[in-house]
Amino acid sequence: MIVTAKGSSAVIRGSAVAIALGLAVLANPAMADQYTDAAKKWVDSEFQPSSLSKEDQMKEMEWLIKAAEPFRGMEINVVSETLTTHEYESKTLAKAFSEITGIKLTHDLIGEGDVIEKLQTQMQSGRNIYDAYINDSDLIGTHFRYNAVVPLSDFMDGEGKDVTSPTLDLKDFIGLSFTTGPDGKLYQLPDQQFANLYWFRYDWFQREDLQKQFKEKYGYDLGVPVNWSAYQDIAEFFTNDVKEIDGHKVYGHMDYGKKDPSLGWRFTDAWLSMAGEGDKGLPNGLPVDEWGIRVDGCAPVGASVTRGGATNSPASVYALTKYIDWLKAYAPPEAAGMTFGEAGPVPAQGNIAQQIFWYTAFTADMTKKGLPVVDDEGNPKWRMAPSPHGPYWEEGMKLGYQDVGSWTLMKSTPLERRKAAWLYAQFVTSKSVSLKKTLTGLTPIRQSDLDTQAMTDIAPKWGGLVEFYRSPARVAWSPTGTNVPDYPKLAQLWWQNVAEAVTGERTPQEAMDNLANSMDRVMERLGRAGIGGDCAPKLNEEKDAQYWFDQPGAPKPKIDNEKPQGETVKYDDLIQAWREGRAN
């Protein structure tokens, strides 16, 4: 009987099927061999290259086959957003898992917003919609406060100990600090991650005529901008001085500005921290993070400057102002009406000189042969590097964003279904398959994969991605952190307020004031509801802004010179520093 329903009745029927299958295996050893044969087929044909030998890959598969025995015949459903990495999991790895384990695994792909909606519905209703989710670690602050997610640390040592792989090797994951709560527990397991970095036309920056022209005008070398002053100078240079290259109009900047939820990501994904709005401390700045939320211990106490936050601080207003100024002055005219998805492919069309904030998830699409940004041999004419920082930024602060899609198990999922889904989560992140998955989706999660010869060989084709992830600089790039008590409720406030500044309905200061006040009101309601226990919001009483400006760290008072001297670094020198283990 095929199990199609969810819930406890499905577990009973699934267990019955599993018992029957188990008895059948005892009676017919050849049935057990089919799973081993399937594993050998997949290891030989698909799971290459790997950081493991084929012998060690088969050892991982043999453990998986044994651990999956009680769940054979069950139908398990998991979900993620639609990314290249997850498409590979859905179309290829889910099929492999089903053949190797006897568990029928369905991996649905839906929009990012839909993933959050399903997750919220399951949290609020207690109804099991999916047996596991891959959702952004941006929700870590939500997950550890709402008591709806299974702490993986507890699960692996307790109820899920019998289905936790001895070769999982948590220390090998490069993003665990992003999925760990203030209580020290691991709440999510990274499945894929990508950063937002600076992107530029390396071939144009190397041209001697352009280097000479830039040096004569600005007094320093054309190179990777270290600060926002240099970024602005380079944007001005290509847009208004160079103007055309090979007969085509060129622009010194690319962005997007349509009133759309993706406009919120543009800012919550570290734009303010790049400007220098928050406090020192990795991964997110303490006590004030990149959203401008201050915490006392683990309890959020305010976003407004008058409560000790920094969402409407001078650094934040500066960041929003620069975003609007650059969008209007240096980007293609149509950029202001674009969403994230519409703007993403534009640099590949060949008329953009640089982009301060570019997601490495676009790397695969930027390396296709025949594009204007790829040479005849398939090598990129562009490179990626660390994004520049604004004048409020200080050494030791977060400098950029990483998206870390991570496996999340819900308490509302019946235990047997949760165990079976956990086997799949470990399978698609295992050393047996993770390198091939990285080479397919370009979203690395394991240090052992980054250290392989396969990554060294592919590095020239990826324009700096491998070098970045191998470098010590990567620690300054992180997702949204634990200061944010309810990501879905607070995130929606950003795009609505930022859009009013883009259209001119409000000044940047007015927009950020309204955003900060709106965030405080939501956190006040969460605090009254006691969401998060000791880590629930407890808003500070309001004080004059100057009181907080006089305290160390964020919020910082306005500085006199928000455009200091531009500073650049040669890209090749930067890469050499990374190879030597230096941040810059």
Side-chain angles (χ1 to χ4, degrees), residues 78-83 86 89 107-111 115 133-134:
V78 304
V79 69
S80 69
E81 65 175 301
T82 305
L83 288 176
H86 299 322
E89 291 168 338
H107 184 150
D108 286 346
L109 301 174
I110 60 179
V115 173
Y133 293 79
I134 302 177

Side-chain angles (χ1 to χ4, degrees), residues 54 117 130 142-143 168 234 237 275 283 308 340 352 377 385 401 418 451 532:
K54 286 188 178 182
E117 182 183 346
Y130 281 101
T142 312
H143 290 332
L168 179 58
I234 295 169
F237 175 69
F340 167 81
I352 305 297
E377 297 178 359
Y401 175 80
R418 194 191 310 154
D451 293 339

Side-chain angles (χ1 to χ4, degrees), residues 80 84-95 105 107 109 134 191-192 407 424 428-429 437:
S80 69
T84 303
T85 295
H86 299 322
E87 289 176 349
Y88 177 67
E89 291 168 338
S90 176
K91 296 174 182 177
T92 302
L93 294 184
K95 183 174 187 288
L105 197 293
H107 184 150
L109 301 174
I134 302 177
D191 179 271
Q192 52 82 9
W407 283 101
Y424 178 66
V428 297
T429 59
K437 190 175 82 169

Side-chain angles (χ1 to χ4, degrees), residues 164-179:
T164 297
S165 172
T167 58
L168 179 58
D169 193 6
L170 288 175
K171 292 181 180 178
D172 191 42
F173 285 81
I174 63 175
L176 285 195
S177 65
F178 310 142
T179 57

Side-chain angles (χ1 to χ4, degrees), residues 261-465:
S262 64
L263 185 60
W265 312 337
R266 180 68 179 75
F267 284 81
T268 59
D269 289 358
W271 183 245
L272 302 187
S273 65
M274 289 165 60
E277 160 269 0
D279 271 316
K280 295 180 182 180
L282 300 174
N284 294 98
L286 282 173
V288 179
D289 71 355
E290 72 272 25
W291 285 42
I293 297 175
R294 174 180 285 271
V295 290
D296 182 0
C298 62
V301 294
S304 300
V305 169
T306 52
R307 300 185 192 274
T311 305
N312 58 336
S313 67
S316 298
V317 174
Y318 161 82
L320 178 55
T321 301
K322 282 298 167 187
Y323 158 77
I324 296 170
D325 289 348
W326 293 345
L327 177 66
K328 293 179 177 178
Y330 307 125
E334 60 271 20
M338 288 183 169
T339 63
F340 167 81
E342 293 164 343
V346 172
Q349 296 169 7
N351 66 337
I352 305 297
Q354 60 171 359
Q355 189 164 357
I356 191 171
F357 187 100
W358 180 80
Y359 288 90
T360 61
F362 292 123
T363 303
D365 293 331
M366 195 74 80
T367 57
K368 294 176 181 176
K369 288 186 178 180
L371 288 174
V373 295
V374 177
D375 68 20
D376 294 339
E377 297 178 359
N379 297 307
K381 298 178 182 179
W382 52 267
R383 298 290 187 273
M384 60 183 81
S387 294
H389 54 71
Y392 292 87
W393 189 88
E394 301 173 75
E395 197 70 43
M397 290 178 60
K398 171 173 176 168
L399 186 51
Y401 175 80
Q402 280 200 68
D403 184 294
V404 184
S406 305
W407 283 101
T408 308
L409 303 180
M410 307 296 291
K411 290 184 177 180
S412 53
T413 300
L415 179 59
E416 295 301 295
R417 303 188 67 81
R418 194 191 310 154
K419 284 184 172 183
W422 177 236
L423 288 175
Y424 178 66
Q426 293 173 95
F427 170 70
V428 297
T429 59
S430 68
K431 291 180 182 178
S432 288
V433 307
S434 60
L435 179 56
K436 178 61 180 291
K437 190 175 82 169
T438 294
L439 293 170
T440 302
L442 284 63
T443 54
I445 54 170
R446 285 186 175 272
Q447 186 63 47
S448 56
D449 292 336
L450 291 167
D451 293 339
T452 61
Q453 184 61 42
M455 295 297 280
T456 299
D457 293 343
I458 200 66
K461 299 290 187 183
W462 288 2
L465 181 66

